[in-house]
Amino acid sequence: MFTVNGKELDYDIFDADKADFIQRVMEETSENAWAGFVRENCEAVAAAFDRLWGAGTAVKIFDGVVNLKVAMNAFQELVDGINAEKAELETMAKAVTAKYSGNRAQRRAKK
């Protein structure tokens, strides 16, 4: 007896035929789940590059390889690049603000 999401399910894992069947199902599910996870995430990263820079960009970047580690590294490089651009803009904005905002106390003293 198994309880899943509060529901009781009856399955005799000690029956040889059922044990063989449950083993096959669990192996297939685990393999498919991992393979699906890898493929889904690789495709999501590839789609992001294609949407940002146009169709075919992912093919150029990944050379047709569908590998989760390669995709995650590429995505991390993209995120790092975006963050670097944002940091550069923040530095520029602070410099402009400092240059043109002036000191309020100094302006009052001049009056």
Side-chain angles (χ1 to χ4, degrees):
M1 184 68 68
F2 298 91
T3 303
V4 179
N5 283 339
K7 308 289 191 282
E8 289 188 359
L9 303 171
D10 188 29
Y11 197 91
D12 184 3
I13 65 167
F14 299 106
D15 178 280
D17 291 336
K18 289 184 178 182
D20 286 339
F21 183 67
I22 197 168
Q23 182 175 342
R24 280 194 314 273
V25 169
M26 295 306 290
E27 287 171 355
E28 289 169 7
T29 302
S30 296
E31 289 172 10
N32 291 340
W34 176 247
F37 174 81
V38 169
R39 187 166 304 285
E40 182 178 309
N41 282 279
C42 289
E43 289 172 357
V45 170
F49 280 102
D50 282 346
R51 288 178 68 196
L52 290 169
W53 285 282
T57 303
V59 173
K60 286 185 214 173
I61 291 172
F62 300 117
D63 295 322
V65 174
V66 181
N67 181 292
L68 184 58
K69 192 172 183 179
V70 171
M72 290 296 102
N73 284 334
F75 190 74
Q76 184 62 54
E77 289 175 359
L78 173 61
V79 170
D80 289 347
I82 290 169
N83 288 338
E85 293 284 324
K86 287 180 179 180
E88 183 180 338
L89 181 62
E90 286 177 23
T91 301
M92 290 172 57
K94 286 178 184 176
V96 169
T97 301
K99 182 176 180 179
Y100 294 107
S101 65
N103 186 323
R104 187 181 225 178
Q106 288 176 345
R107 288 195 308 264
R108 287 187 178 167
K110 290 181 183 180
K111 289 183 179 185

